[in-house]
Amino acid sequence: TFDGVIMANLLCRLPDPISTISALPKIVNAGGVVVLVTPFTWLEEFTPRSKWLGGFQDSMTQEPIYSKDQLKEIMESLGFVKIHEEQMPLVIREHRRKYQYIVSEATGWRKQ
């Protein structure tokens, strides 16, 4: 088990992000910290739409479902408390003359 886990720009590229998050309590020690950094840029190329944490409207109420809110709900249900939150800009170099500028949501979670 670990005292710290970092998942940087990974969550929205997993085929099943909830199963990955759900495994965290098994590998993180009590008092340990998980740092999640994600732009929440869901694409069906990586994650089936049915597995997205948010980024769509509720089919019944038409209210928006926000990934940030869903992540909070899931992490808290697994025994984690949010201890930090910030916007984290980053640049990805695709090739010599092309870059992507992204602002990810960075959160820290302590396991109780």
Side-chain angles (χ1 to χ4, degrees), residues 2-110:
F2 302 94
D3 292 325
V5 172
I6 298 174
M7 295 174 59
N9 297 308
L10 172 70
L11 194 64
C12 55
R13 294 299 179 259
L14 295 170
D16 191 351
I18 293 175
S19 71
T20 301
I21 294 168
S22 297
L24 289 171
K26 297 173 191 163
I27 65 167
V28 178
N29 294 324
V33 173
V34 174
V35 175
L36 292 168
V37 182
T38 178
F40 295 122
T41 52
W42 302 105
L43 297 171
E44 289 182 288
E45 173 183 353
F46 302 106
T47 310
R49 189 171 176 84
S50 62
K51 303 284 186 174
W52 293 7
L53 298 186
F56 53 87
Q57 290 185 331
D58 182 283
S59 59
M60 300 295 284
T61 66
Q62 298 305 308
E63 293 292 319
I65 305 296
Y66 297 107
S67 299
K68 180 178 175 175
D69 297 338
Q70 295 301 303
L71 179 61
K72 182 177 187 290
E73 186 177 308
I74 293 166
M75 290 299 285
E76 288 177 348
S77 75
L78 295 171
F80 291 89
V81 175
K82 188 189 290 184
I83 57 172
H84 184 79
E85 178 179 332
E86 70 178 89
Q87 301 298 303
M88 183 175 286
L90 70 114
V91 174
I92 297 173
R93 182 178 180 181
E94 291 187 25
H95 59 74
R96 193 168 138 196
R97 293 185 300 243
K98 184 178 179 188
Y99 296 83
Q100 286 185 38
Y101 176 75
I102 300 168
V103 180
S104 291
E105 177 82 13
T107 52
W109 304 87
R110 184 173 312 279

